[in-house]
């Protein structure tokens, strides 16, 4: 004998004849038929009169923000199935409002095939706030905000969610004697399920629309071609199953960087690499920091690029230091390495700021920048067309041997990307 | 650098250190939506969390992401998401819901220049007040803030611990210059920290979802799906979690929501104090700007100036005792921040007493040590 899931003595907070109470009782019967005790059910209710069903149930009840019931239910179910052992069933009680504000959550839950059951209480308007029209209001329907009749056709949730991949979709009337059974089927379905349940709002809908009764509602649905019963019943793997079979295994932690080489830095060196997106500027900078670490130096690397990422300028500001680094800003760089026009345009002010002791390494295709630093122009773009920055970094190490070129080669080897081209870029740059 | 067998040198970003801290703190549920400069955290969790037995999912939007986290936390999981200003704005209502329902959850807010879309790839420190005051009623929310990739590890662990211990949403406020900066870190020197779990209900008395003993105490948690009925609502409620309008118990619950965090400012305080006897100036700093401040303070002392420095890793609740101690006897307080309005500086009124304070404020580039040094007289 299943434990009761509804409070015996609770006073329903509903108007007489309200559809919500029928749905609540049908859910209660369905849960008892499925042998689900109150501890094994999470009832997530949205905002509106529908949300007040939580006061009637002995199950876990979670009354959420407007529209977010399905999203919170998704989180509960994901944790239950993937961090636990699927101990509970999660049921959502949602109305016109929640289904509209939270339409995306419904679509996503259907698409992901999250194992939750949504009971959509469609009473054609927003009851709690005073009978305003909703996205589910039929044409010509009278509400407090469609006094001369609604003129925008309603959306069909079942069709929308069917297209999103929902596996179990059904429609019923709140007063159907078979509703409890239908709800039980929906709950038992593995994966996302939704039952759209048409009911009467006796506070507003029937007052505005005098003809409206369960009988005229049924006839009306028939006229509109909205079929009652199970619309779709397809089983496909639920999200939890798909997740488990596709989850990546733990990535191997990268090996620590050993101290292999000696450096010659007595104080911090600040440099800027500038070029164009897609030319490995930020990778070259990264490789320089790894080479630095292999040589016992600390580093900080900050990158910049426009929002477009794949086009436009690409810069890296680096600090290399024999001591841990404090401030990471590079205002007065000791070196500026520029391999493209876009890069030059971006860092022209910093290039100008390079002092007498500093060096500017610039691709020979670019105009000579005005600067007090030592300007060295080399054909990086020619020497390594796909990785001119890396070639330039290798050339820089010849000009300022912070550590052996071998450290950079070792960094490229450990990187494991860029293939042969990366080694050749280093070789070519060093040879310039 | 003195590398030996007791070193573990890596080049890591702030995002990677936040991921490491979260996983080590026991986070096992992550739901995310990409946004610069937080996307590295999302990608890192997606790659690493499953291997640790956790769940990381992509959401269709930030409201979904945080809502999934709230649901997972109600079911008992330590949950986290990460975003930037625009995404955080979308999450505001749900943060209020987590606060109202005493649901532990961590939101990483990686700042970028705003307002609105702003500049995705540009740093700023302008979301401090967005982080603390987005919830209706101004209820206290813990906000923590690292200064660099290395301390992002520890601060992340502390933020997760705080969310759990206090059954509250907690914000890890950070920025592009931390999440997307790569630095050499000796992982071997990362602190070993205790991991804190939410207090669990275990005694035989009838369970109340929010059964706190005193206003400041934390109600023991029982998961949705556990053996005791859990009653959760975003509406005002009594200690049982039942919706009530304005009875005394309801008003008590509201005061409890604030008190349990606000009264713990000392316990939650995470600061670094660098005092100099006879200091005439105090520099108060946070975030990446703290690094320029340290530089400036060192240089100022070299020049013979007397200056103290307080680094705030916990921004809210205001670390009042540390602030008023630090300001005692100084003639001037300098608060550098990478925002135009001087957001944290304005919060310090009342804590610093009559001491005049001045800001170093700009956006667009990092605040430099020189700019701070100029204000240290």
């Amino acid at each position: 004998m299943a434990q009761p899931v509804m409070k015996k003595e609770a006073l329903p907070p509903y108007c007489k004849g309200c559809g919500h109470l029928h749905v609540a009782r049908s859910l209660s019967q369905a849960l008892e038929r499925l042998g689900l005790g109150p501890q094994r059910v999470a009832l997530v209710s949205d905002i509106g009169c529908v949300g007040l069903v939580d006061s009637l149930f002995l199950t876990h009840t979670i009354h959420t923000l407007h529209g977010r019931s399905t999203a919170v239910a998704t989180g509960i179910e994901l944790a239950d199935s993937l961090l636990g052992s699927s101990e509970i069933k999660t049921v959502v009680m949602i109305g016109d409002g929640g289904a509209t504000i939270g339409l995306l959550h419904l679509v996503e839950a259907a698409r992901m095939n999250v194992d939750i059951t949504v009971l959509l209480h469609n009473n054609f308007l927003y009851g709690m706030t005073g009978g305003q029209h909703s996205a589910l209001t039929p044409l010509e329907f009278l509400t407090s905000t469609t006094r001369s009749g609604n003129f925008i056709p309603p959306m069909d949730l079942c069709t929308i969610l069917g297209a999103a991949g929902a596996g179990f979709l059904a429609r019923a009337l709140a007063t159907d004697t078979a509703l409890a059974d239908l709800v039980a089927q929906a709950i038992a379905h593995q994966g996302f399920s939704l039952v759209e349940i048409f009911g009467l709002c006796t506070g507003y809908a029937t007052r505005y629309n005098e003809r409206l009764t369960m009988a005229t509602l049924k006839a009306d649905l028939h006229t509109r071609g909205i079929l009652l019963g199970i619309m779709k019943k397809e089983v496909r793997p639920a999200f939890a199953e798909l997740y488990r079979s596709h989850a990546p295994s733990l990535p191997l932690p990268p090996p620590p960087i050993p101290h292999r080489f000696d450096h010659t830095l007595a104080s911090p060196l600040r440099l800027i690499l500038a070029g164009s997106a897609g030319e490995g500027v930020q990778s070259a900078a990264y490789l320089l920091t790894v080479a630095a670490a292999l040589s016992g130096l600390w580093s900080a690397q900050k990158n910049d690029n426009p929002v477009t990422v794949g086009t436009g300028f690409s810069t890296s500001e680096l600090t290399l230091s024999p001591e841990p680094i404090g401030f990471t800003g590079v205002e007065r760089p000791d070196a500026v390495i520029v391999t493209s026009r876009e890069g030059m345009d971006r860092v022209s002010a910093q290039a100008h700021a390079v002092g007498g002791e500093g060096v500017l390494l610039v691709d020979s295709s670019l105009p000579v920048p005005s600067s007090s630093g030592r300007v060295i122009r080399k054909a990086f773009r020619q020497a390594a067309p796909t990785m001119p920055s890396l070639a330039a970094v290798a050339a820089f190490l010849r000009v300022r041997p912070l550590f052996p070129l071998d450290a950079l080669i070792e960094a490229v080897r450990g990187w494991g990307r860029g293939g042969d081209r990366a080694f050749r870029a280093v070789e070519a740059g060093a040879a310039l | 650098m003195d590398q030996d067998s007791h070193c573990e040198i890596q080049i890591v970003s702030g995002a990677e250190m936040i991921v490491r801290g979260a996983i080590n703190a026991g986070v096992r549920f992550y739901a995310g939506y990409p946004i610069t400069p937080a996307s590295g955290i999302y990608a890192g969790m997606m790659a690493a969390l499953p291997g640790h037995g956790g769940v990381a999912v992509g959401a269709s939007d930030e409201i979904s992401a945080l809502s999934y986290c709230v649901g997972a936390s109600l079911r008992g999981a330590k949950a986290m998401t990460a975003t930037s200003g625009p995404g955080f704005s979308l999450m505001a209502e749900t943060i209020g819901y987590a606060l109202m329902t005493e649901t532990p959850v961590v939101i990483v807010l990686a700042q970028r220049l705003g307002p609105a879309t702003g500049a995705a790839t540009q740093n700023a420190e302008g979301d401090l007040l967005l982080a603390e005051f987005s919830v209706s009623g101004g209820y206290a929310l813990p906000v923590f803030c690292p200064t660099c990739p290395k301390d992002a590890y520890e601060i992340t662990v502390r933020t997760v611990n705080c969310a759990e211990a206090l059954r509250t949403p907690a914000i890890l406020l950070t920025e592009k210059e931390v999440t997307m900066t790569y630095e050499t870190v000796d992982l071997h020197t990362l602190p070993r920290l205790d991991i804190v779990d939410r207090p669990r209900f275990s005694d035989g008395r009838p369970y109340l979802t929010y059964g706190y003993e005193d206003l400041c105490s934390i109600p023991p948690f029982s998961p949705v799906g556990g053996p005791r009925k859990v009653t959760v609502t975003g509406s005002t409620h009594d200690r049982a979690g039942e919706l009530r309008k304005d009875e005394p118990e309801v008003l008590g619950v509201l005061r409890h929501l604030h008190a349990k965090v606000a009264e713990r400012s000392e316990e939650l305080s995470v600061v670094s104090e660098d005092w100099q006897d006879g200091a005439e100036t105090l520099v108060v700093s946070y975030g990446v700007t703290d690094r320029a401040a340290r530089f400036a303070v060192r240089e100022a002392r070299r020049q013979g100036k007397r200056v103290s420095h307080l680094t705030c890793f916990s921004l809210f609740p205001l670390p009042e005792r540390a602030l008023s101690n630090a300001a005692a006897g100084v003639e001037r307080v300098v608060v550098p921040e990478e925002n135009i309005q001087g957001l944290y500086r304005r919060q310090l009124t009342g804590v610093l007493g009559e001491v005049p304070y001045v800001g170093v404020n700009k956006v667009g580039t990092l605040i430099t040590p020189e700019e701070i040094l100029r204000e240290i007289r």
Side-chain angles (χ1 to χ4, degrees):
Chain A
M1 179 71 174
Q3 284 176 277
V5 293
M6 274 184 98
K7 295 175 184 172
K8 257 201 287 252
E9 55 321 315
L11 270 170
Y14 294 125
C15 305
K16 190 163 177 204
C18 172
H20 297 325
L21 193 52
H22 291 289
V23 179
R25 291 205 178 107
S26 298
L27 172 63
S28 169
Q29 285 161 34
L31 292 173
E32 282 171 21
R33 267 173 224 184
L34 291 168
L36 288 166
Q39 292 163 4
R40 295 197 48 212
V41 178
L43 185 62
V44 187
S45 60
D46 208 281
I47 297 291
C49 293
V50 64
L52 301 175
V53 291
D54 64 342
S55 62
L56 305 176
F57 281 84
L58 295 165
T59 59
H60 298 281
T61 55
I62 301 97
H63 198 155
T64 70
L65 299 167
H66 207 8
R68 315 303 167 203
S69 48
T70 311
V72 174
T74 297
I76 293 172
E77 157 52 27
L78 292 182
D80 183 53
S81 55
L82 290 166
L83 297 173
S85 1
S86 291
E87 283 132 46
I88 65 173
K89 282 288 183 189
T90 303
V91 177
V92 176
M93 298 284 233
I94 196 169
D96 296 46
T100 311
I101 293 186
L103 183 58
L104 183 54
H105 305 314
L106 286 165
V107 165
E108 281 295 282
R111 190 177 68 88
M112 289 161 68
N113 205 22
V114 180
D115 189 19
I116 61 175
T117 299
V118 177
L119 302 181
L120 168 62
H121 302 223
N122 185 351
N123 58 12
F124 315 112
L125 47 62
Y126 301 147
M128 180 170 268
T129 42
Q132 296 85 9
H133 69 282
S134 76
L136 306 182
T137 303
L139 284 171
E140 293 166 23
F141 206 78
L142 298 172
T143 69
S144 66
T145 43
T146 55
R147 300 278 185 165
S148 28
N150 177 39
F151 54 86
I152 307 285
M155 62 175 171
D156 181 353
L157 248 318
C158 284
T159 302
I160 290 170
L161 294 177
F168 185 104
L169 292 163
R171 297 192 192 91
L173 298 174
T175 48
D176 279 348
T177 48
L179 182 58
D181 194 57
L182 193 59
V183 170
Q185 280 188 66
I187 293 173
H189 175 85
Q190 281 302 299
F192 180 86
S193 60
L194 180 136
V195 184
E196 181 176 11
I197 306 160
F198 304 101
L200 301 179
C201 165
T202 49
Y204 298 99
T206 53
R207 271 203 295 131
Y208 284 118
N209 302 274
E210 283 161 2
R211 258 193 73 249
L212 182 63
T213 63
M214 286 310 291
T216 60
L217 166 53
K218 184 169 183 176
D220 219 55
L221 290 169
H222 183 80
T223 311
R224 281 161 59 193
I226 295 169
L227 300 173
L228 301 175
I230 296 175
M231 187 187 132
K232 186 177 176 192
K233 189 172 175 179
E234 278 169 28
V235 178
R236 65 180 173 95
F239 182 83
E241 191 187 319
L242 290 169
Y243 187 85
R244 264 186 230 108
S245 58
H246 288 84
S249 42
L250 195 58
L252 284 170
I257 302 174
H259 188 176
R260 283 247 172 82
F261 306 94
D262 293 325
H263 69 82
T264 61
L265 270 191
S267 60
L269 181 88
R270 293 180 179 86
L271 60 118
I272 298 177
L273 265 69
S276 295
E279 297 184 344
V281 175
Q282 297 177 9
S283 307
Y286 170 72
L287 290 167
L288 189 58
T289 63
V290 175
L294 284 163
S295 311
L297 289 171
W298 300 86
S299 68
Q301 175 182 352
K302 287 148 27 70
N303 300 324
D304 197 10
N305 46 262
V307 289
T308 48
V309 183
T311 60
F313 68 85
S314 181
T315 66
S316 290
E317 294 184 359
L318 296 177
T319 305
L320 306 179
S321 173
E323 300 300 327
I325 294 161
F327 180 62
T328 54
V330 174
E331 275 120 79
R332 282 176 292 278
D334 301 300
V336 177
I337 302 171
V338 188
T339 51
S340 83
R341 189 60 200 243
E342 280 166 319
M344 180 61 90
D345 287 343
R346 181 69 183 171
V347 302
S348 54
Q350 284 111 315
H352 190 70
V354 172
E357 298 284 304
V359 65
L360 265 90
L361 225 56
V362 172
D363 189 76
S364 45
S365 67
L366 300 172
V368 181
S370 71
S371 166
S372 3
R374 182 177 153 209
V375 179
I376 300 169
R377 294 170 82 224
K378 300 224 183 254
F380 302 120
R381 298 189 71 81
Q382 224 169 62
T386 57
M387 298 180 134
S389 249
L390 187 53
V393 163
F396 174 69
L397 286 175
R398 286 281 186 245
V399 174
R400 278 216 60 176
L402 313 173
F403 38 77
L405 191 72
D406 279 343
L408 185 63
I409 294 168
E410 180 65 32
V412 172
R413 187 172 298 130
W415 191 42
R417 286 149 65 175
D420 257 1
R421 288 180 301 133
F423 288 108
R424 285 205 299 272
V426 172
E427 223 176 87
L432 282 172
Chain B
M1 169 196 310
D2 189 14
Q3 282 146 297
D4 55 24
S5 59
H6 302 297
C7 263
E8 194 191 334
I9 299 295
Q10 292 287 3
I11 292 173
V12 290
S13 67
E16 287 163 6
M17 294 299 270
I18 289 169
V19 168
R20 180 181 288 262
I23 292 176
N24 285 6
V27 169
R28 289 297 176 269
F29 187 92
Y30 185 92
Y33 188 83
I35 182 169
T36 310
S39 305
I41 299 166
Y42 173 33
M45 292 301 266
M46 288 294 276
L49 204 50
H52 288 275
V55 183
V57 295
S60 51
D61 62 284
E62 287 89 345
I63 297 175
S64 297
L66 184 58
S67 300
Y68 292 175
C69 288
V70 167
S73 185
L74 286 170
R75 184 73 185 89
K78 295 191 186 184
M80 184 173 100
T81 188
T83 187
S84 191
F88 189 89
S89 303
L90 295 178
M91 292 179 180
E93 196 195 16
T94 309
I95 293 169
Y97 183 78
L99 190 149
M100 183 61 130
T101 60
E102 306 199 55
T103 305
V105 68
V106 170
I107 302 104
V108 182
L109 203 194
Q111 297 166 99
R112 66 203 232 168
L113 182 63
T117 307
T121 52
Q122 181 63 47
N123 197 62
E125 291 168 341
D127 294 341
L128 179 79
L129 302 190
L130 184 70
E132 179 64 7
F133 298 116
S134 295
V135 174
S136 171
Y139 292 83
L141 257 179
V143 177
F144 297 91
C145 182
T147 70
C148 64
K150 183 173 182 187
D151 62 40
Y153 172 80
E154 175 178 349
I155 302 305
T156 300
V157 174
R158 289 190 184 281
T159 307
V160 177
N161 281 348
C162 172
E164 290 290 314
L166 271 50
R167 282 190 64 175
T168 178
I171 318 286
L172 178 69
L173 185 71
T174 185
E175 58 209 290
K176 185 247 177 189
E177 289 285 339
V178 172
T179 58
M180 295 179 74
T181 291
Y182 287 82
E183 292 195 40
T184 324
V185 173
D186 181 359
L187 297 178
H188 201 75
T189 62
L190 293 180
R192 280 185 223 306
L193 300 154
D194 287 335
I195 303 309
V196 177
D197 292 323
R198 58 192 73 174
R200 298 261 175 173
F201 183 80
S202 61
D203 72 40
R205 279 178 295 163
Y207 178 65
L208 297 175
T209 309
Y210 305 111
Y212 58 85
E213 293 284 333
D214 318 299
L215 216 60
C216 291
S217 58
I218 310 302
F221 176 86
S222 193
V224 162
R228 294 159 213 103
K229 182 195 189 316
V230 170
T231 306
V232 176
T233 178
S235 294
T236 50
H237 51 266
D238 57 19
R239 287 160 73 238
E242 302 278 358
L243 188 161
R244 296 275 181 270
K245 193 169 164 226
D246 52 10
E247 293 146 35
E249 189 169 327
V250 167
L251 305 178
V253 169
L254 292 177
R255 281 196 297 276
H256 153 75
L257 292 178
H258 183 73
K260 72 176 184 180
V261 175
E263 300 292 316
R264 284 188 165 77
S265 77
E266 191 51 36
E267 187 183 314
L268 296 174
S269 175
V270 185
V271 298
S272 171
E273 295 161 323
D274 176 15
W275 292 358
Q276 186 175 39
D277 274 336
E280 287 160 22
T281 308
L282 167 68
V283 177
V284 178
S285 55
Y286 65 95
V288 76
T289 303
D290 179 74
R291 303 176 72 169
R294 282 175 196 263
F295 213 95
V297 165
R298 207 165 51 230
E299 180 57 27
R301 287 173 180 164
R302 235 184 36 82
Q303 292 173 12
K305 295 174 186 164
R306 309 197 72 76
V307 52
S308 287
H309 181 204
L310 182 72
T311 300
C312 295
F313 293 101
S314 64
L315 298 177
F316 290 102
L318 290 174
E320 288 183 6
R321 196 192 55 80
L323 282 163
S324 59
N325 275 2
V330 306
E331 285 161 28
R332 183 179 161 84
V333 179
V334 178
V335 188
E337 328 169 51
E338 204 175 320
N339 56 62
I340 294 171
Q341 322 296 348
L343 302 176
Y344 201 51
R345 181 178 93 241
R346 290 174 201 278
Q347 293 299 306
L348 303 182
T349 319
V351 186
L352 298 178
E354 295 301 312
V355 189
Y357 47 92
V358 67
V360 179
N361 299 109
K362 75 174 192 199
V363 293
T365 52
L366 288 177
I367 292 180
T368 66
E370 287 80 16
E371 286 165 339
I372 300 170
L373 186 59
R374 247 177 260 144
E375 297 300 332
I376 301 172
R377 310 262 166 85

